[in-house]
Amino acid sequence: MDPISDGPRHDLPEADAFTRPYWAAAADGRLLIRRCAACGRAHHYPREFCPHCWSEDVAWERATGRATLYTWSTVHRNDLPPFSARTPYIAAVVDLAEGPRMMTQIVDAEEAELSAEMPLRVAFMGGKPVFRPGS
């Protein structure tokens, strides 16, 4: 067995009862975030409590899909399957319009085209949210 090509897949989400709505929405082309009813703040990654005030009064909310680019890095080497076949790719952190920061991938852009705070729009690749340039 070749550990690179036949090993575990590190890009497949492990949906559980809590995150299943998030992944189901992503498969349908919708990005969900969580919003706290107690303090009003949104957060991402999905949690069962608010990381700002610790309230458990949080609910799913559809995000607009708009974001701005916070930081990025082009990955030229990644030995975890199946990423080695995808290099180079642009790993990024984006600021969602609703406030939270999110780790993601930038698609349909070259690194030279990127700039901090550039507007981005969500897209979906294999049921996972990624971002591309656009307002």
Side-chain angles (χ1 to χ4, degrees):
M1 176 167 97
D2 177 0
I4 299 297
S5 61
D6 297 331
R9 293 276 309 254
H10 297 282
D11 67 329
L12 298 176
E14 292 184 29
D16 57 21
F18 172 68
T19 61
R20 199 162 286 117
Y22 177 83
W23 294 114
D28 288 337
R30 296 177 290 118
L31 178 62
L32 296 182
I33 57 172
R34 300 280 281 174
R35 184 167 305 273
C36 177
C39 72
R41 294 178 70 181
H43 63 270
H44 186 80
Y45 64 90
R47 286 164 266 199
E48 296 184 56
F49 62 90
C50 175
H52 307 291
C53 74
W54 302 101
S55 171
E56 292 180 4
D57 190 6
V58 291
W60 295 107
E61 173 182 301
R62 185 173 183 172
T64 63
R66 292 180 291 117
T68 57
L69 185 57
Y70 178 71
T71 190
W72 68 95
S73 179
T74 300
V75 178
H76 294 279
R77 180 179 173 159
N78 186 335
D79 293 333
L80 296 174
F83 299 106
S84 58
R86 297 179 185 167
T87 58
Y89 61 89
I90 302 170
V93 177
V94 301
D95 288 328
L96 298 176
E98 293 78 11
R101 283 202 169 134
M102 177 180 178
M103 291 189 68
T104 188
Q105 181 179 343
I106 303 298
V107 298
D108 299 334
E110 298 295 323
E111 183 176 24
E113 301 170 20
L114 302 179
S115 62
E117 299 183 10
M118 75 181 294
L120 302 169
R121 199 82 174 125
V122 73
F124 293 87
M125 186 170 66
K128 294 173 282 220
V130 296
F131 284 79
R132 63 173 37 114
S135 51

